[in-house]
Amino acid sequence: MQYWLFKSETTTWSWDQQVAKGDAGEEWDGVRNYQARNFMREMKVGDRGFFYHSQKERAIVGIVEVIAEAHPDSTTDDDRWECVDIKAVKPVKTPVTLDDIKAEPRLSEMVLVRNSRLSVQPVTAEEWRIVCEMAGVSD
DNA sequence: GCCAACGTTGGC
DNA sequence: GCCAACGTTGGC
């Protein structure tokens, strides 16, 4: 099982909207970046991810799960672009902000810190554990 | 609102 | 195939 981080602007697609989709989930469409797409191609059903709000809020606010592997992005006819489907699992108890992450030396290698522009990123098992601890969630 | 970092495009 | 120009993202 792999861990990931999905980044979204609240005005484009927020955690609340994701939660409203329930177990049916929603496709993570609109990605037009090869690196991000390639990570989505590696995802397997059951993989977990953090849901991160970029721009104003800049915090991890929830846990999501991959429920469908990469398939063509329905928002474009361009067959280069694919996306996975994800569903909200649960909100975090305490949002973990970018500042919190930067203040934690063990998280200094996170892609979120090193390459802030990448919208879909891998998270290591250790990083996952540490962030979950900070967020007050059990897994 | 600014700007640094990064990715993409297109001319050569 | 290189690289300058341009567009976009996201932190500050």
Side-chain angles (χ1 to χ4, degrees):
Chain A
M1 151 125 107
Q2 300 263 93
Y3 300 104
W4 311 94
L5 183 143
F6 296 87
K7 192 187 311 188
S8 182
E9 244 183 283
T10 42
T11 51
T12 309
W13 183 252
S14 70
W15 171 248
D16 287 344
Q17 285 174 286
Q18 185 70 52
V19 169
K21 289 286 173 182
D23 287 344
E26 179 74 355
E27 57 172 39
W28 195 258
D29 56 34
V31 171
R32 302 289 182 268
N33 172 286
Y34 292 109
Q35 254 187 299
R37 183 206 60 191
N38 291 343
F39 285 131
M40 287 200 285
R41 283 181 173 171
E42 292 176 28
M43 294 181 190
K44 299 269 184 278
V45 171
D47 279 1
R48 293 264 164 136
F50 291 127
F51 193 106
Y52 176 85
H53 277 161
S54 66
Q55 305 276 76
K56 193 160 184 281
E57 194 175 348
R58 296 195 300 280
I60 288 168
V61 293
I63 308 286
V64 295
E65 185 175 317
V66 176
I67 57 171
E69 284 164 28
H71 57 80
D73 184 331
S74 71
T75 62
T76 178
D77 289 334
D78 191 331
D79 59 13
R80 288 178 301 172
W81 305 119
E82 298 175 13
C83 60
V84 295
D85 292 0
I86 61 171
K87 69 168 185 181
V89 175
K90 59 183 168 189
V92 298
K93 195 184 291 175
T94 314
V96 179
T97 67
L98 185 61
D99 287 346
D100 294 336
I101 288 166
K102 286 186 167 172
E104 171 51 71
R106 291 175 298 168
L107 298 177
S108 60
E109 295 298 308
M110 270 189 85
V111 182
L112 192 64
V113 177
R114 315 215 82 185
N115 181 4
S116 62
R117 292 189 54 206
L118 188 60
S119 62
V120 175
Q121 333 179 336
V123 172
T124 69
E126 198 197 351
E127 289 162 354
W128 181 266
R129 191 176 49 73
I130 294 166
V131 173
C132 281
E133 221 169 85
M134 293 163 73
V137 293
S138 51
D139 61 344

